[in-house]
């Protein structure tokens, strides 16, 4: 390699090289920060909800006249749903994970209005919740049938027990002490005591963008809110077959209500992360476009350089350069230009990330992204310059003796 | 040193065949200084390209330094050019973005010499052509004569067995031309075989032998430099 003379020659004719280096630097800064955002979003999207998403669907039942007895309807509906062939289990609840709408409260370990509570998503469930959601109980006990109460829409009191997620237990009792939460009393509405009877591994809240999305509590109550949402878990492979059957059964079993909102958990997840998925696609497109533009810039500069230096290439060939030497010259030249670009880009990337973290409250990028992006851009540069370099290497040495 | 037997060179397009060299024969001995003359289009440049291994010929046999070079690979041809042949071009062909030192360094790097060896060789040849103090100058900062001296230094730095000069004084005024010719003669006296293509009868007279080319063939050759007897046209 002849980096010394190539560098000195570049420095005497540097405008094009500097522009390409700047382009590489800007591309790198945008690329790395975009990848960092993609990473954050993709990680969020990949978080397990804690429930058996592929086999779960849900539907709402809303009474529309005075003849509708919600309590009776819920009991009959649940009995009918649980008896349907292909249904693993079913329950009535107030909200669906990742659906965007739900309840939240605050729990605290000490009573008192002046104590800080820890935000928690609330699901009203019955003793079938473990089977219906396929939750994993990791400590304590779950609700028994006798624990289940009815909750009116106007009620502001809470039952005496709850089951919480590990994340909520960690937030309340400490990361290493979460198991000790079983049997302890926590306070809702500042002063109402509830005993933590069990802890489940994981169940996400309704809001995927909430930083406490893993903090959830289950409350042993069925609701009488006028609108019931039934969660149904099908046996593997039977979900799509069951969905219309469930809808039909509910519609026919009680004419005083309407059923609507039949939806799978998978669709709910897709809807929940639709914005993130679109953002990822847009950012990936932007990265691809920037890389393409940068590569085209490199191709353009190298092609111009080859055309401008045809005689010089012929002379080098006459003086003993092999085809590989000529190709190597242009590849090395690009390596220097791209090298300048990625070094500048590294600084620019870090600066942009610091600003974005500050301005948009984003996660700090992972450090390994910088050397990885440097490598990618150097490879892209080498690939882009390969064509022009090959063309240069095919310039015949006889060009050296041509006078025009 | 150089032996060409029945060399033919035909350039073909879809419709036209141009015979640049026809059954061309030439032998040049070790240490000779041969001038190649001829009118425009006679085949001088084609001869120079073939002699310098810049171009493949259509048929015939070419031996350089006792070896048949007609079937060498591109890389092997490059190596022979680098090690055995020095080129001096009419337009100097210096690389404008490199200074004098780096220009002379070009063939030495392809040769694979280490840094110390290259430096020693560059300084020696620049001293020989009288430009030791101009190492850091760019070609544009030198006169035409000085640029050609740099080109000669570049050609000589690898200590080639023979030097091919293509109208080496074509772009110089008469005073500079004579100075360059004196340098070339001096190089020849040092033992380097020289083949020089030129239009100028006066310069050709300075060679040990003159070969006149017409229509792609050697039309006349003398050993006593009587160029007037092989007058152009």
């Amino acid at each position: 390699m002849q980096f010394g003379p190539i560098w000195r020659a570049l420095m005497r004719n540097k405008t094009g090289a500097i522009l390409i280096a700047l382009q590489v630097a800007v591309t790198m800064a945008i690329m790395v920060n975009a990848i960092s955002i993609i990473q954050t979003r993709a990680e969020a999207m990949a978080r397990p909800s804690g429930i058996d998403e592929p086999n779960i669907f849900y539907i709402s039942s809303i009474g529309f006249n005075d003849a509708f007895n919600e309590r009776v309807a819920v009991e009959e509906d649940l009995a009918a749903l649980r008896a349907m062939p292909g249904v693993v289990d079913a329950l009535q609840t107030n909200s669906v994970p990742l659906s965007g709408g739900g309840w939240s409260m605050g729990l605290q370990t000490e009573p008192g209005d002046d104590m800080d509570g820890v935000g928690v998503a609330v699901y009203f469930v019955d003793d079938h919740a473990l089977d219906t959601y396929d939750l994993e109980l990791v400590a304590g006990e779950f609700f028994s049938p006798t624990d289940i109460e009815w909750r009116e829409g106007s009620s502001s009191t809470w039952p005496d027990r709850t089951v919480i997620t590990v994340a909520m237990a960690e937030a309340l009792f400490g990361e290493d002490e979460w198991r000790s939460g079983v049997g302890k009393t926590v306070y809702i509405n500042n002063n109402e005591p509830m005993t933590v009877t069990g802890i489940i591994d994981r169940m996400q809240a309704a809001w995927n963008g909430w930083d406490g999305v893993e903090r959830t509590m289950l409350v042993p109550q069925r609701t009488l809110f006028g609108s019931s949402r039934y969660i149904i878990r099908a046996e593997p492979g039977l979900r799509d077959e069951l969905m219309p059957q469930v809808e039909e059964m509910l519609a026919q079993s009680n004419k005083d209500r309407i059923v609507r909102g039949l939806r799978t958990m998978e669709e709910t997840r897709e809807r929940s992360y639709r914005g993130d998925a679109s953002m990822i696609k847009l950012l990936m497109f932007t990265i691809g476009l920037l890389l393409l533009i940068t590569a085209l810039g490199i191709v353009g500069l190298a092609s111009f350089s080859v055309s401008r230096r045809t005689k010089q290439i012929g002379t080098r060939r006459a003086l003993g350069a092999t085809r590989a030497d000529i190709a190597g010259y242009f590849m090395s030249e690009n390596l220097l230009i791209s090298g300048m670009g990625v070094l500048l880009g590294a600084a620019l990337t870090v600066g942009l990330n610091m600003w974005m973290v500050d301005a948009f409250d984003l996660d700090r990028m992972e450090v390994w992204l910088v050397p990885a992006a440097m490598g990618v851009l150097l490879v892209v540069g080498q690939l882009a310059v390969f064509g022009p370099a090959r063309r240069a290497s095919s310039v015949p040495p006889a060009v050296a003796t041509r006078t025009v | 040193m150089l032996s060409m037997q029945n060399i033919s060179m035909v350039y073909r397009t879809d419709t036209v065949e141009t015979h640049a060299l026809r059954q061309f024969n030439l032998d040049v001995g070790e240490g000779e200084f041969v001038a190649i003359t001829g009118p425009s289009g006679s085949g001088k440049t084609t001869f120079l390209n073939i002699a310098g291994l810049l171009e493949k010929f259509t048929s015939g046999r070419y031996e350089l330094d006792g070896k048949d070079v007609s079937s060498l690979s591109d890389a092997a041809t490059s190596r022979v050019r680098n090690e055995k042949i020095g080129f001096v071009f009419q337009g100097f062909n210096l690389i404008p973005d490199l200074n004098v030192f780096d220009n002379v360094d070009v063939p030495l790097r392809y040769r694979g010499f280490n840094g110390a060896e290259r430096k020693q060789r560059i300084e020696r040849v620049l001293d020989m052509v009288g430009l030791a103090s101009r190492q850091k100058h760019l070609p544009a900062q030198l006169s035409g004569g000085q640029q050609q001296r740099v080109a000669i230094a570049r050609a000589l730095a690898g200590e080639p067995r023979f030097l091919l000069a293509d109208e080496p004084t074509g772009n110089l005024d008469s005073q500079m031309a004579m100075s360059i010719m004196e340098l070339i003669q001096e190089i020849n006296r040092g033992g380097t075989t020289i083949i020089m293509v030129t239009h100028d009868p006066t310069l050709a007279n300075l060679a040990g032998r003159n070969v006149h080319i017409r229509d792609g063939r050697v039309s006349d050759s003398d050993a006593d430099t009587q160029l007037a007897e092989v007058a152009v046209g």
Side-chain angles (χ1 to χ4, degrees), chain A residues 1-2 5 8-9 12-13 308 311-312 315-323 325-326 397-398 400-401 403, chain B residues 45 48-49 54-55 74-75 78 81-82 87 89-90 93 95-99 102 106-107 109-110 138 154 166:
Chain A
M1 289 294 119
Q2 316 175 33
R8 290 192 286 278
R12 294 201 178 92
N13 214 337
R308 194 172 59 87
K311 181 110 178 178
Q312 191 185 121
T315 302
R316 286 180 181 274
R317 292 279 281 131
L319 296 177
T322 60
R323 286 173 194 265
D325 288 329
I326 297 298
T401 58
T403 50
Chain B
T45 301
L48 187 88
N49 284 347
L54 302 180
E55 217 169 349
D74 189 76
S78 296
R81 278 199 300 270
N82 183 256
F87 288 94
F89 303 100
Q90 180 178 354
N93 290 23
I95 294 167
D97 296 328
L98 296 181
N99 63 27
D102 284 338
V106 169
R109 282 182 179 268
Y110 295 132
L138 289 172
R154 181 177 66 184
D166 179 19

Side-chain angles (χ1 to χ4, degrees), chain A residues 47-64:
Chain A
R47 290 174 306 192
S49 63
I51 66 176
D52 181 19
E53 288 181 36
N55 297 310
I56 289 177
F57 63 97
Y58 56 92
I59 190 166
S60 297
S61 159
I62 304 136
F64 59 79

Side-chain angles (χ1 to χ4, degrees), chain B residues 38-138:
Chain B
S40 290
S42 60
K44 297 193 302 295
T45 301
T46 302
F47 159 75
L48 187 88
N49 284 347
I50 291 171
L53 303 181
L54 302 180
E55 217 169 349
K56 296 272 186 195
F57 44 92
T58 310
S59 64
R61 184 177 175 83
Y62 176 21
E63 285 184 12
L64 184 66
D65 208 12
K67 286 185 181 163
D68 184 1
V69 293
S70 42
S71 57
L72 292 178
S73 68
D74 189 76
T77 308
S78 296
R79 195 160 55 247
V80 172
R81 278 199 300 270
N82 183 256
E83 292 176 3
K84 295 191 174 178
I85 306 171
F87 288 94
V88 178
F89 303 100
Q90 180 178 354
F92 322 135
N93 290 23
L94 297 178
I95 294 167
D97 296 328
L98 296 181
N99 63 27
V100 166
F101 185 97
D102 284 338
N103 261 290
V104 179
D105 195 22
V106 169
L108 302 182
R109 282 182 179 268
Y110 295 132
R111 188 81 162 263
F113 289 134
N114 64 38
E117 167 101 33
R118 296 201 314 269
K119 185 169 187 290
Q120 181 255 321
R121 281 172 178 261
I122 293 165
E123 286 173 348
R124 182 176 58 76
V125 289
L126 284 177
D127 188 48
M128 183 180 150
V129 299
L131 290 172
S133 61
R134 305 291 175 100
Q135 290 184 16
K136 299 295 174 194
H137 285 61
L138 289 172

Side-chain angles (χ1 to χ4, degrees), chain B residues 9-232:
Chain B
M9 183 66 187
V10 183
Y11 295 104
R12 290 191 175 89
T13 65
D14 289 343
T15 52
V16 180
E17 268 192 5
T18 306
H19 292 260
L21 290 182
R22 301 163 188 263
Q23 303 295 307
F24 188 92
N25 294 291
L26 181 68
D27 286 289
V28 177
E30 181 93 42
E32 264 198 285
F33 181 2
V34 179
I36 306 290
T37 60
S40 290
S42 60
K44 297 193 302 295
T45 301
T46 302
F47 159 75
L48 187 88
N49 284 347
I50 291 171
L53 303 181
L54 302 180
E55 217 169 349
K56 296 272 186 195
F57 44 92
T58 310
S59 64
R61 184 177 175 83
Y62 176 21
E63 285 184 12
L64 184 66
D65 208 12
K67 286 185 181 163
D68 184 1
V69 293
S70 42
S71 57
L72 292 178
S73 68
D74 189 76
T77 308
S78 296
R79 195 160 55 247
V80 172
R81 278 199 300 270
N82 183 256
E83 292 176 3
K84 295 191 174 178
I85 306 171
F87 288 94
V88 178
F89 303 100
Q90 180 178 354
F92 322 135
N93 290 23
L94 297 178
I95 294 167
D97 296 328
L98 296 181
N99 63 27
V100 166
F101 185 97
D102 284 338
N103 261 290
V104 179
D105 195 22
V106 169
L108 302 182
R109 282 182 179 268
Y110 295 132
R111 188 81 162 263
F113 289 134
N114 64 38
E117 167 101 33
R118 296 201 314 269
K119 185 169 187 290
Q120 181 255 321
R121 281 172 178 261
I122 293 165
E123 286 173 348
R124 182 176 58 76
V125 289
L126 284 177
D127 188 48
M128 183 180 150
V129 299
L131 290 172
S133 61
R134 305 291 175 100
Q135 290 184 16
K136 299 295 174 194
H137 285 61
L138 289 172
Q141 296 168 317
L142 302 174
S143 68
Q146 287 172 325
Q147 288 188 50
Q148 194 59 298
R149 282 174 181 273
V150 175
I152 291 170
R154 181 177 66 184
L156 294 177
E159 296 176 356
R161 297 291 304 279
F162 87 106
L163 192 69
L164 278 174
D166 179 19
E167 302 276 11
T169 59
N171 285 4
L172 304 176
D173 63 37
S174 58
Q175 194 180 349
M176 281 188 180
M178 284 316 296
S179 153
I180 291 296
M181 282 310 298
E182 283 167 14
L183 180 58
I184 288 174
Q185 283 180 306
E186 189 185 324
I187 292 162
N188 177 241
R189 282 195 290 273
T192 305
T193 306
I194 295 175
I195 297 177
M196 177 180 72
V197 169
T198 182
H199 276 100
D200 189 337
T202 312
L203 298 182
N205 266 333
L206 299 173
R209 175 156 65 110
N210 182 261
V211 173
H212 189 73
I213 301 179
R214 179 186 286 266
D215 297 331
R217 288 191 176 92
V218 174
S219 71
D220 205 353
S221 176
D222 65 48
D224 55 3
T225 70
Q226 296 302 305
L227 186 67
E229 292 178 17
V230 282
V232 174

Side-chain angles (χ1 to χ4, degrees), chain A residues 292-314:
Chain A
L292 181 68
I293 291 170
T294 303
L296 289 176
I298 290 168
V299 170
L301 179 71
S303 297
F304 173 69
S305 178
V306 169
S307 307
R308 194 172 59 87
R309 289 189 276 185
T310 302
K311 181 110 178 178
Q312 191 185 121
I313 295 164

Side-chain angles (χ1 to χ4, degrees), chain A residues 172-308:
Chain A
L172 287 169
F173 308 111
E175 282 195 15
D176 299 326
E177 300 294 321
W178 63 267
R179 280 182 184 277
S180 71
V182 176
K184 285 190 176 166
T185 301
V186 293
Y187 298 87
I188 194 164
N189 277 342
N190 297 328
N191 295 303
E192 276 192 64
M194 297 178 88
T195 302
V196 177
T197 59
I199 297 174
I200 54 172
D201 178 40
R202 183 190 302 269
M203 184 177 182
Q204 286 190 327
W207 318 280
N208 74 49
W210 180 38
D211 61 1
V213 67
E214 309 281 341
R215 297 203 302 266
T216 298
M217 67 183 290
L218 302 182
V219 177
Q221 287 183 321
R222 287 180 185 153
T223 62
L224 297 170
F225 296 168
S227 169
S228 290
R229 186 167 281 156
Y230 297 119
I231 306 285
I232 301 112
R233 180 176 167 215
E235 287 175 4
L238 296 181
R239 182 196 67 188
D240 294 345
E241 190 183 319
L242 268 175
M243 286 175 72
Q245 293 175 18
V246 164
E247 189 175 32
E248 178 70 12
M249 185 275 286
L250 291 176
Q252 294 302 324
S253 64
N254 190 328
K255 300 290 186 184
D256 296 324
R257 51 99 176 274
I258 55 170
V259 291
R260 68 176 191 188
L262 180 68
R263 188 170 291 162
T264 65
M265 263 314 297
E266 285 178 337
E267 188 186 346
T268 302
R269 168 176 282 277
E270 190 274 325
R271 281 168 171 255
S272 179
Y273 288 109
R274 190 171 285 171
D276 297 274
S278 299
M279 171 73 84
I280 286 174
K281 279 182 195 161
L282 182 69
L283 289 175
M284 287 179 79
F285 176 75
T286 305
I287 290 169
L289 193 66
L290 276 173
L291 283 176
L292 181 68
I293 291 170
T294 303
L296 289 176
I298 290 168
V299 170
L301 179 71
S303 297
F304 173 69
S305 178
V306 169
S307 307
R308 194 172 59 87

